[in-house]
Amino acid sequence: EDVGKTRIIDVCAASGGCGNTKAAIGIAARLSQMGYDVLYVDAEETQNFYEFLPENLKEDWAEASLAIAFMNGGALDMLIKNIRKAAFDYVPAFKDPLYAYNISLQAYYDTVNEIAGREMYDYIVVEHTPGLTKELAKHLSDRKMMAMCTKDIAGEAERVKRFDGNLAGFG
């Protein structure tokens, strides 16, 4: 891998309830323990990762000013200002679903790409909403690393196969 380049690890799931939040936080924590500078981003409509953080790492909910920045396409500098510094850095969660703030997941994807371009971190771990949307497929199309979380239930292997089959160009 290119030294000095930010690597993005996308944590995905073909269906909900399979532990992608725990997996994404675990990956971010482990990379941080290994000495890497890591940013965790929850790019889900409903951001629930606070419930999995130890009490000493939990912060207040994201401020309205960050939502306004996302809505107006000027999120990068505001987001960088709002990043919480902890065992690994993370973008604060919004209390309500993103649609309540009129924030698109594409705005998150664009901001992740911009932060990666600034090479502020060794790794950015991005947790995604379960399932595959057009925006997520586009986001993943040029990625190199993805963690796929699954459940041990009937039909899950077929869901993962369909998910993978719709990722044109994924390496």
Side-chain angles (χ1 to χ4, degrees), residues 22-65:
K22 289 180 184 177
I25 289 173
I27 291 168
R30 183 65 184 126
L31 288 169
S32 180
Q33 290 169 350
M34 294 169 64
Y36 293 106
D37 290 324
V38 180
L39 175 66
Y40 165 80
V41 178
D42 187 347
E44 292 188 292
E45 281 292 342
T46 301
Q47 300 174 330
N48 65 338
F49 71 93
Y50 280 178
E51 64 191 73
F52 299 106
L53 293 180
E55 286 300 319
N56 64 325
L57 297 183
K58 291 181 182 180
E59 293 281 344
D60 291 332
W61 297 104
E63 299 172 10
S65 58

Side-chain angles (χ1 to χ4, degrees), residues 137 139-146 164 167-171:
H139 171 77
L140 294 173
S141 67
D142 64 346
R143 292 291 177 247
K144 305 260 187 274
M145 293 182 278
M146 179 176 62
D164 182 54
L167 296 179
F170 184 75

Side-chain angles (χ1 to χ4, degrees), residues 64-79:
S65 58
L66 183 57
I68 292 167
F70 267 114
M71 288 186 298
N72 295 320
L76 184 60
D77 291 328
M78 179 63 73
L79 185 136

Side-chain angles (χ1 to χ4, degrees), residues 8-22:
I8 298 172
I9 301 174
D10 293 286
V11 180
C12 301
S15 57
C18 57
N20 55 331
T21 299
K22 289 180 184 177

